[in-house]
Amino acid sequence: MSNDNNERALARHPRYYGSEHLTFAVDGYLFQLPVRRLKESKYFQDMLGSEHLGESVEGRSDEHPIALGGITSFEMESFVDVLDARVFDKEAKREWKQLAAALHLSTMWEFEDVRARLIKDMSQIINNGGIEPLDRVEVSIKCRVIDWLHPAYQEPLSTESAIADVQSQ
């Protein structure tokens, strides 16, 4: 390091220094998420701006986590994996179940950019085949992805029709 840095005070980077985190309790596990990422969500913007959280100790330590009920640690882990990813790395193969869990939470918490990336990635997986129609219907309804619903309903009908044609011959 040069003497110039020692002679003048260094400024803290506004985004990448001392990042504030909140601690959440989910299904028996603690998770820490950076506040700057939470602010991307309408749900968490409202939470962070509420008087309830305000200056309280809730979420500021392991001893006082914010309890998130109604979700599993698998869903939270899947969501944080996606949230942490700078870009969807093609090397990181995520299972449909993991992507669906992350999509569920990104939909519920209104992380619109994360949700859009997941829908795009999952649509490619659907287009490549291998995802059962009932799995697509379940995720489509739970995560409000209407574009997946009709084709998923159509597929079993097309298959039954093809089987009936073969059997009639």
Side-chain angles (χ1 to χ4, degrees), residues 46-134:
D46 292 346
M47 177 192 287
L48 293 167
S50 77
E51 291 180 20
H52 170 70
L53 191 57
E55 296 298 318
S56 77
V57 296
E58 187 177 19
R60 310 283 182 206
S61 69
D62 289 356
E63 292 75 29
H64 302 284
I66 297 169
L68 297 176
I71 63 172
T72 66
S73 60
F74 175 79
E75 289 174 312
M76 187 67 161
E77 183 179 329
S78 297
F79 174 75
V80 173
D81 283 347
V82 170
L83 188 66
D84 266 356
R86 299 285 182 240
V87 293
F88 273 151
D89 184 4
K90 296 300 178 196
E91 301 299 316
K93 300 286 188 216
R94 291 181 177 85
E95 298 293 322
W96 177 262
K97 187 175 177 179
Q98 293 170 299
L99 294 170
L103 181 60
H104 170 63
L105 294 185
S106 67
T107 300
M108 184 169 71
W109 292 334
E110 301 177 59
F111 278 89
E112 295 305 326
D113 288 347
V114 174
R115 184 175 191 276
R117 284 189 327 188
L118 282 164
I119 290 171
K120 181 180 177 188
D121 200 54
M122 293 170 79
S123 293
Q124 287 178 327
I125 294 170
I126 289 169
N127 291 338
N128 292 337
I131 305 301
E132 293 295 321
L134 289 178

Side-chain angles (χ1 to χ4, degrees), residues 1-10:
M1 243 176 140
S2 73
N3 277 345
D4 289 341
N5 285 339
N6 291 333
E7 293 173 13
R8 63 182 172 99
L10 296 174

Side-chain angles (χ1 to χ4, degrees), residues 19-57:
S19 181
E20 183 183 5
H21 288 77
L22 286 180
T23 303
F24 297 91
V26 177
D27 201 19
Y29 290 96
L30 294 174
F31 293 84
Q32 277 193 331
L33 298 177
V35 170
R36 69 179 176 79
R37 293 304 307 265
L38 294 173
K39 288 180 178 177
E40 296 171 17
S41 155
K42 173 80 170 99
Y43 176 87
F44 285 106
Q45 285 174 15
D46 292 346
M47 177 192 287
L48 293 167
S50 77
E51 291 180 20
H52 170 70
L53 191 57
E55 296 298 318
S56 77
V57 296

